[in-house]
Amino acid sequence: MSRNRRYCCLTLALASSAGALEQPYQAISQTKLQQWQGEGFFTLNKDWFSNHDGSGFDANGQSLAAQLSEFSYSYLLFASQEIPLPRVRYRLRLWRYPAESIQSPALSRIELSRFNLGPALHKQLVLELGEAHVAPLQEFGEGPHISWRFDMINLYGAPHVVAASRRQFGDVQASTEDCLGYSCLTITLSPPKAMPDKPLDLPTWQAPYRQQHGVSEPWLLDTLYHTLALANLEPGDSPDKPLLEILLSTDVEGNDPVWHGLARQTQLGDDSLSERWRELWVWPGGEVALLGYDLCHPDRQSDCQPKAD
């Protein structure tokens, strides 16, 4: 079953109650929405996103979307509409803005970009091994790079889409896009090692969707989200800088299915730490490793050093 079909049931359950968004949608500044839905993005018809307002419920009467982070919810909407590709990198960025008035809800913005690494990986392997020893390009996945942008509010305890747009772009632009300091078409990524890494326990939470073979892209995104404890993340002091960025690479490390996730949280409100990083690996067979890294402010290095046992 394709990944699109795999998550289709949940996505359809999330889509209902088109009228629920009319009032909060009108309360948000239309200028703010239009500024975000630009730069070559095609704005989706309001009927589409008003039908994806997250008001579906599970068998226990709990909101399905309320059990998802903004990242996994955005991914499910994306996956329900786009043709799957085998070797890709997802980049998800989060911004949050305070309410403009009592009637206007706080606004979250998610940008989800999918970079097709299949052609770049094929080219690299041909150079290393020779064309005779590498599968045809079609096996690596042919397709454009795609970005979606979602404006979301929290309504009845669940994320609701109030505006959405889409664009696709070519390799030249994709190569200039930044993925945590790398070109987004770079095959192998790693976090900064300014401090010793430390193994972390996986967060204890119950995913509202079925896992396929023990892992799924929504599960990975929510694992990174929950390990950074972002449930009450407040709007930052630098509105143009994402509060959180997650990269999720699928099947780009060798021939076996491997997932690699990197997450960076900034604007921590901490006088010694400037950034918090998480790295997640899932290898064939279901082995999982979660690592943490913390970066200090340049003038507070001594406060961040590991304490002696």
Side-chain angles (χ1 to χ4, degrees):
M1 181 183 293
S2 72
R3 285 173 180 164
N4 294 58
R5 296 284 300 278
R6 186 182 303 172
Y7 308 123
C8 183
C9 294
L10 175 58
T11 304
L12 291 177
L14 295 174
S16 60
S17 184
L21 286 178
E22 191 65 34
Q23 196 168 6
Y25 174 80
Q26 292 175 347
I28 297 175
S29 166
Q30 294 303 298
T31 300
K32 179 178 285 188
L33 293 178
Q34 290 167 2
Q35 288 173 345
W36 173 245
Q37 310 297 332
E39 303 177 14
F41 282 78
F42 172 76
T43 301
L44 298 179
N45 186 287
K46 182 171 177 290
D47 290 340
W48 182 88
F49 56 79
S50 64
N51 283 321
H52 291 78
D53 66 354
S55 56
F57 296 90
D58 62 16
N60 298 318
Q62 296 179 317
S63 168
L64 288 169
Q67 302 170 57
L68 300 167
S69 73
E70 293 153 307
F71 288 115
S72 57
Y73 182 60
S74 299
Y75 174 86
L76 289 165
L77 294 179
F78 178 98
S80 72
Q81 303 297 313
E82 300 292 351
I83 296 173
L85 293 171
R87 299 175 186 272
V88 299
R89 172 170 297 127
Y90 297 97
R91 182 188 66 187
L92 297 96
R93 292 171 162 175
L94 169 67
W95 295 260
R96 282 188 178 155
Y97 300 89
E100 296 179 341
S101 66
I102 295 176
Q103 294 80 20
S104 173
L107 184 68
S108 293
R109 284 179 164 163
I110 296 286
E111 182 183 75
L112 190 165
S113 299
R114 186 183 70 184
F115 299 93
N116 181 15
L117 269 62
L121 182 60
H122 178 267
K123 181 178 180 179
Q124 175 178 306
L125 292 175
V126 167
L127 291 174
E128 293 176 358
L129 305 175
E131 189 170 0
H133 302 284
V134 180
L137 176 60
Q138 293 82 354
E139 298 295 323
F140 287 77
E142 294 182 284
H145 312 288
I146 296 171
S147 287
W148 281 59
R149 285 179 170 177
F150 299 96
D151 277 330
M152 295 185 182
I153 61 172
N154 187 289
L155 193 62
Y156 310 124
H160 289 66
V161 178
V162 295
S165 61
R166 177 189 185 274
R167 70 168 175 172
Q168 63 183 56
F169 49 98
D171 289 343
V172 173
Q173 182 172 350
S175 66
T176 64
E177 292 286 321
D178 178 78
C179 282
L180 297 177
Y182 294 87
S183 163
C184 288
L185 297 187
T186 302
I187 300 300
T188 301
L189 308 182
S190 61
K193 299 293 196 303
M195 288 191 65
D197 59 285
K198 54 185 177 181
L200 302 175
D201 294 329
L202 292 173
T204 56
W205 58 281
Q206 297 298 318
Y209 35 77
R210 294 179 181 272
Q211 297 180 32
Q212 299 292 324
H213 308 295
V215 70
S216 66
E217 283 81 357
W219 181 85
L220 293 164
L221 292 171
D222 274 348
T223 295
L224 288 166
Y225 186 91
H226 285 286
T227 192
L228 288 168
L230 295 169
N232 297 312
L233 188 63
E234 296 297 328
D237 297 328
S238 302
D240 295 331
K241 186 177 182 180
L243 293 171
L244 177 65
E245 184 171 345
I246 290 179
L247 302 179
L248 180 60
S249 304
T250 66
D251 301 349
V252 299
E253 301 281 346
N255 294 322
D256 295 321
V258 175
W259 288 266
H260 180 223
L262 277 178
R264 177 178 65 183
Q265 182 183 358
T266 62
Q267 305 181 63
L268 300 175
D270 189 299
D271 61 0
S272 59
L273 295 181
S274 61
E275 296 181 359
R276 180 169 287 122
W277 288 69
R278 295 293 181 264
E279 184 174 25
L280 180 66
W281 285 95
V282 182
W283 291 281
E287 183 183 356
V288 179
L290 178 64
L291 302 172
Y293 308 85
D294 293 324
L295 297 187
C296 302
H297 289 294
D299 58 346
R300 299 297 297 273
Q301 295 293 326
S302 61
D303 294 339
C304 294
Q305 298 306 313
K307 302 297 187 295
D309 295 333

